[in-house]
Structure formats: C-alpha cells, structure tokens
Amino acid sequence: MKGFSQAAFLRAAGRPGDLPPAGRPEVAFAGRSNVGKSSALNALVGRKALARTSKTPGRTQTINFFELGEQALLVDLPGYGYARVPLPVRNQWRELVGAYLRERPSLVGIVVLMDARHPLTVLDRQLFGWLSAARKLVLLTKADKLSRAMQKQVLADVRAELADAQVLLFSSVTRQGVDECRDLLEQWLAAGRAE
Ligand code: GDP
C-alpha cells in the first residue's frame, strides 16, 4: 500500500460533534503525553513533521485525522496523563476520546504507545480497559534508551501481561520496529477494507 508515504492532514476534532463521518478504515494512536507518539507517526509516514512533536506536553486536545491516500486514515488521539493539565481539560479528553472509541465503526485497530522504560502505568491500564477494538498493538517507545537485555525483558513482561495485544519494541531514533509496525497496520487496514 502506497498510503503511508502519501499521508496528509485531513482535520482536527475538538468535540465529539466535530468527528468526520466514519468511512474508510482507520487506525488510532494513543499514549501518554511525551511518550513519543508524534515522533512515531512521523517515522511511520517517513516525514519530519506530519504530526507536531510537542515541547509542552499535554496541550493538544484534538483528535487529528490524517489520510493515507484514498484508502485509509491514521488517527492521532490527544495524549493523556500530563500532571499539569487542568481538570476540565482532562474531562474534555475523556469525553472526546471516550466518544471516539465507543462510536467509531471504521476503527479497525488501535496502537497504544508506552515508554519502554516504564510501561503499563495506571492510565495505560485504564485506557486498555476501555478498548473494544479487535486489533491492538503496543509500541514500547524509546527502546534505544534500553540495553538489549532490558529490551528483551520488558518485551517478555508486557507480552505476558497483555495476551490479547501484539507488542513491538520501537524507536523513532534508530527506526527499530518501524517497518514491522507499518507492515502490521497495512494488514489491519487491508483487512478492514474487506470487512
Ligand atoms: P508525544 O508528546 O507523545 O507526541 O511525544 P513526542 O514525539 O513529541 O516526543 C517527546 C520527546 O521524546 C521528544 O523530546 C522526542 O525527541 C523524544 N523522543 C521521541 N521518540 C523517541 C525515541 O524513539 N527515542 C528517544 N531517545 N527519544 C524520543
């Protein structure tokens, strides 16, 4: 599929009513603020700044939709868990992301990014509990910060705990896991088109 190299911003939704109508199959990305989500999206589409990497974590509170050619969408959910975000913004996050995750028939799978150095935080687990998407992939980000032995250990631990998800080590810096991740998402989206 050529789509990943043709990724283009489609629109941002700040409220449930702003979500574009469901149509083409889409894959959503979720994770704590600063986990490396924008960097991962940029690495996957081979662009420097499709998704903006944030200097101030937790400020983006929109769901951003990107087209992959005509065929599919990538969806960047706002990051969660940044301590200094005020309560109303946190509630807005829950309302927006909750509505999206509950009501999106075109969502074929979800990618949850967790920092490889401290995966499965309380909020990561909460999010996982909400997910009904059939396909789940966990990316253990910033894997370049861990030794090979630590990488192996964390991969085994997370795989053991999240038996219904696929789990990959990932680094936007070394590009570890980038091709595997893109291959898997292409499979999901192709299967989604056939469903
Ligand atoms: P987001 O808030 O989840 O979108 O995270 P960003 O992509 O903006 O990244 C947050 C910070 O982590 C930035 O300083 C990035 O340079 C850094 N970062 C992102 N991915 C990696 C990675 O794979 N390895 C390392 N070492 N740093 C990363």
Side-chain angles (χ1 to χ4, degrees):
M1 191 171 108
K2 280 183 298 182
F4 276 80
S5 57
Q6 300 173 338
F9 178 74
L10 178 65
R11 67 188 279 182
R15 284 175 305 209
D18 298 337
L19 294 169
R24 293 170 269 185
E26 61 198 41
V27 172
F29 284 66
R32 289 175 62 87
S33 301
N34 217 37
V35 72
K37 181 159 54 65
S38 309
S39 304
L41 283 163
N42 291 332
L44 287 165
V45 301
R47 293 267 271 291
K48 278 213 174 84
L50 184 77
R52 264 196 299 155
T53 54
S54 44
K55 290 269 178 292
T56 316
R59 274 183 50 188
T60 326
Q61 292 291 334
T62 55
I63 298 184
N64 296 325
F65 292 82
F66 299 92
E67 290 182 304
L68 299 180
E70 305 270 291
Q71 308 262 34
L73 300 180
L74 282 188
V75 182
D76 184 11
L77 300 176
Y80 52 85
Y82 184 54
R84 297 221 299 265
V85 169
L87 192 62
V89 177
R90 269 185 250 174
N91 289 338
Q92 186 214 355
W93 184 95
R94 194 167 301 144
E95 197 188 319
L96 179 64
V97 176
Y100 173 80
L101 291 175
R102 275 194 310 274
E103 295 162 17
R104 202 68 186 168
S106 47
L107 179 65
V108 301
I110 184 149
V111 181
V112 180
L113 296 93
M114 301 183 192
D115 191 313
R117 294 166 297 175
H118 31 84
L120 292 167
T121 64
V122 173
L123 290 173
D124 293 335
R125 287 171 200 274
Q126 266 177 21
L127 177 76
F128 236 83
W130 280 13
L131 298 178
S132 55
R135 303 174 186 88
K136 298 168 197 161
L137 169 64
V138 172
L139 294 182
L140 298 170
T141 62
K142 310 190 189 183
D144 55 283
K145 299 209 180 205
L146 293 180
S147 68
R148 287 273 159 199
M150 288 293 293
Q151 290 187 10
K152 222 175 136 186
Q153 182 68 54
V154 73
L155 185 63
D157 290 349
V158 175
R159 280 184 172 156
E161 179 147 351
L162 301 177
D164 67 337
Q166 310 215 38
V167 188
L168 286 176
L169 292 160
F170 192 92
S171 167
S172 311
V173 172
T174 64
R175 301 189 61 82
Q176 179 179 5
V178 170
D179 291 344
E180 292 91 325
C181 176
R182 196 169 36 216
D183 287 350
L184 184 62
L185 299 190
E186 284 177 354
Q187 285 173 31
W188 286 5
L189 290 165
R193 276 195 293 282
E195 274 163 12

